[in-house]
Amino acid sequence: MKNLLVGLGALLLTATSAIAGAPDRDVLRAANWLIGSFDNRAQAAADVAANTPYQHDAAVMVGRPVEDPVVFQDGLYLYVESRRDGESRPFWQRVYRLKKSGGQVRIEVYKIDEQVLGPLGLEAQMLSSLSPGDLRKEAGCDVSLDVKGDEFVGSTAPRSCRSDYKGSAYVFSTMRITKDLVVTLDRGYDEKGVQTFGPSDGRGYEFRRTQK
């Protein structure tokens, strides 16, 4: 734990040096654990070998800190993207704002302006040009995480994250974060509560750390 905070934490402490007050320890730890490269190749291969009813696609997830403390003065911001294994362009890109809310760590989710989205996914250095004006908060889609020992576990509020994807009315998302594993599960439902997309067996995508 100490080595992790000294290593990865240095990036975030640099990014937040201009923010009034020291970052909350739980917020900093959760952010540290989201930084790096992850993949679920082992899970995808196991699904194929077991011929499971729901087959998880092999994908890569990357988290990077937004390191401009002058522009982003109100919290810790991370850029997170996911792409299918073997593809260079991400299929999912968001910015997370992490903050303490009561005894929980809250992740606010922001969409990125379309004009920035493409170049940002292909050129890592484009992250330095990101500004708050490029972001739009996804209302109702905050993920509230409880601290449970050496992990963070939580979800969105029920029926709060609206979506029309594949005939959905809303998305329910859960997340589990440990030092070397991030498990995400997104499931869509219609107004009657019938599932419209996502793993039917309730198994999330298991992204294991490949690089800090």
Side-chain angles (χ1 to χ4, degrees), residues 64-68 71-72 78-81 89-90 93-95 112-132 134-135:
R64 297 197 296 269
V66 178
E67 299 183 71
D68 190 336
V71 175
F72 293 92
L78 302 180
Y79 166 74
V80 182
E81 68 178 31
R89 185 177 292 276
Q93 296 167 270
R94 294 292 188 274
V95 165
I112 305 168
D113 186 273
E114 290 290 340
Q115 294 184 350
V116 182
L117 207 56
L120 184 60
L122 297 175
E123 303 292 340
Q125 65 268 25
M126 289 292 294
L127 189 60
S128 63
S129 67
L130 198 65
S131 73
D134 298 321
L135 307 179

Side-chain angles (χ1 to χ4, degrees), residues 190-203:
D190 66 17
E191 290 289 4
K192 295 181 179 180
V194 177
Q195 187 170 343
T196 52
F197 72 84
S200 55
D201 57 7
R203 293 182 302 125

Side-chain angles (χ1 to χ4, degrees), residues 57-193:
D57 295 330
V60 174
M61 185 183 82
V62 177
R64 297 197 296 269
V66 178
E67 299 183 71
D68 190 336
V70 178
V71 175
F72 293 92
Q73 297 182 52
D74 60 341
L76 293 179
Y77 286 78
L78 302 180
Y79 166 74
V80 182
E81 68 178 31
S82 297
R83 51 187 166 81
R84 291 179 179 83
D85 199 16
E87 296 184 3
S88 59
R89 185 177 292 276
F91 65 84
W92 190 87
Q93 296 167 270
R94 294 292 188 274
V95 165
Y96 289 167
R97 176 177 181 255
L98 285 81
K99 66 178 185 178
K100 198 66 176 287
S101 178
Q104 297 178 311
V105 173
R106 177 165 299 209
I107 298 179
E108 296 177 347
V109 183
Y110 290 82
K111 286 187 175 181
I112 305 168
D113 186 273
E114 290 290 340
Q115 294 184 350
V116 182
L117 207 56
L120 184 60
L122 297 175
E123 303 292 340
Q125 65 268 25
M126 289 292 294
L127 189 60
S128 63
S129 67
L130 198 65
S131 73
D134 298 321
L135 307 179
R136 179 172 61 84
K137 188 175 186 296
E138 292 195 88
C141 299
D142 294 1
V143 178
S144 298
L145 300 170
D146 292 310
V147 184
K148 296 188 176 181
D150 289 330
E151 63 182 33
F152 299 87
V153 180
S155 68
T156 54
R159 303 179 71 95
S160 67
C161 187
R162 306 299 292 182
S163 172
D164 59 5
Y165 181 64
K166 292 189 175 181
S168 304
Y170 64 94
V171 177
F172 182 67
S173 300
T174 64
M175 183 178 290
R176 175 179 168 234
I177 304 170
T178 74
K179 185 173 72 172
D180 294 312
L181 175 69
V182 179
V183 182
T184 62
L185 176 60
D186 298 318
R187 288 173 289 183
Y189 297 89
D190 66 17
E191 290 289 4
K192 295 181 179 180

